[in-house]
Structures are given as C-alpha cells and as structure tokens.
Amino acid sequence: MTEEKESVWEGFKAFLMRGNVIDLAVAVVIGAAFTNVVNAVVKGLINPLVGAFGTRDLDQYSSCLDGPCETNAAGEVVSGIPIMWGTVLSATLSFLITAAVVYFLMVLPMSKYLARRAAKLKQEQAEQAEVEAAEIVLLREIRDELVSQRGGSATNGAPAGT
C-alpha cells in the first residue's frame, strides 16, 4: 500500500516537473496579464474610434427584440428583450486583437526559429553522412591494402572490392 502511494506521489511530482506543465503555467499567467492590455486597448483606443461614428462605449449599442426596451433608474431592463450586440462586438474585437498579437509576436517568430533550426539540423546530418561515407571509403581502401599485403586472400570470404 505504501509503495503504491509513493509511486503515485512520485508520478505526480514527475508530472509537475515536466517542462510542458511549467510552460503551460507561464502561458496562463502571461495570458491573464495580456488580457488586461488588450482590454485597455479596446476600451481606450478601439471604442473611441468607433465612438467617432456613434456612442463612445460599444456596450451601449443594443437592439430590442420584443417591444420597446425600458430601463429603470438603476439601468436594469424592466420590459422588452435587449440584444447587446455592442458587447459581443467589443468581445470579438478583443479576441481578434489578442489572436493577432499572439500570432505575430509569438507563433510566427517561433515557427520561423524552429524551421531554421530544423534546416540547420538537416544540414548537419547531411554533412555527418558525407563524413561517414568518406570514412567508409577510407576504411575499404585500408582493408584492400591489408588484404593485398597478405597475399590477396580476403577474410570472411569477402572479395577484396566490397
């Protein structure tokens, strides 16, 4: 029973210490901080630009589905069914800005870096293969020379040219 608990504990510790979990935790923290930046850009820049054509706050754009929408002094809807399409538009703009920044500042540079790294690795492997091929040719020449010095009999029954 203790052995099983220890193995579960050890497995859990190994899981937590893997790079993927740490990377994910860092990504969540950075994403949460980045959300504040994007929301500030939408509220401070995008909303005023849209406000040049109407209301300053996208959340104010709405339509009423059922009859006229009436609100009380606290801003709560008393009658009607409001459709808050301005809020949806604001959230969509936030998402698009976040996605664009993540793609252009993180995903694109990382994919280019990984492509360059893969090309470099492929080139190194090709060079290594050339070196190994040259070594094989040299070893064959040495073998052939040794066979010819012994009087022409090849070892293991192999002909001198292979």
Side-chain angles (χ1 to χ4, degrees):
M1 184 77 173
T2 355
E3 194 173 304
E4 184 179 322
K5 283 185 179 180
E6 286 180 19
S7 66
V8 169
W9 177 250
E10 291 299 320
F12 183 67
K13 279 178 34 181
F15 169 74
L16 288 178
M17 298 313 289
R18 280 195 310 200
N20 296 347
V21 174
I22 304 298
D23 291 344
L24 182 60
V26 169
V28 167
V29 169
I30 295 296
F34 187 66
T35 299
N36 292 333
V37 173
V38 170
N39 288 337
V41 167
V42 169
K43 296 251 183 238
L45 184 66
I46 304 295
N47 284 355
L49 288 175
V50 172
F53 303 105
T55 347
R56 288 192 167 251
D57 187 8
L58 285 178
D59 292 336
Q60 298 300 319
Y61 288 105
S62 64
S63 299
C64 196
L65 186 65
D66 185 27
C69 290
E70 297 176 11
T71 57
N72 59 15
E76 298 170 345
V77 177
V78 179
S79 67
I81 301 173
I83 304 296
M84 306 299 290
W85 59 271
T87 305
V88 174
L89 180 62
S90 179
T92 303
L93 288 173
S94 294
F95 171 77
L96 290 175
I97 291 170
T98 304
V101 169
V102 166
Y103 179 76
F104 289 112
L105 294 182
M106 295 176 197
V107 173
L108 190 62
M110 182 57 91
S111 64
K112 285 184 179 182
Y113 166 75
L114 292 175
R116 277 184 275 160
R117 186 172 161 200
K120 184 178 179 182
L121 182 63
K122 188 175 181 180
Q123 181 183 7
E124 288 173 357
Q125 288 174 343
E127 291 171 358
Q128 182 67 23
E130 289 176 15
V131 167
E132 288 175 2
E135 288 176 355
I136 290 174
V137 169
L138 181 61
L139 288 172
R140 284 183 181 163
E141 289 174 1
I142 292 171
R143 180 200 62 201
D144 293 345
E145 185 65 30
L146 288 172
V147 167
S148 67
Q149 286 179 359
R150 287 189 182 163
S153 65
T155 58
N156 295 334
T162 58

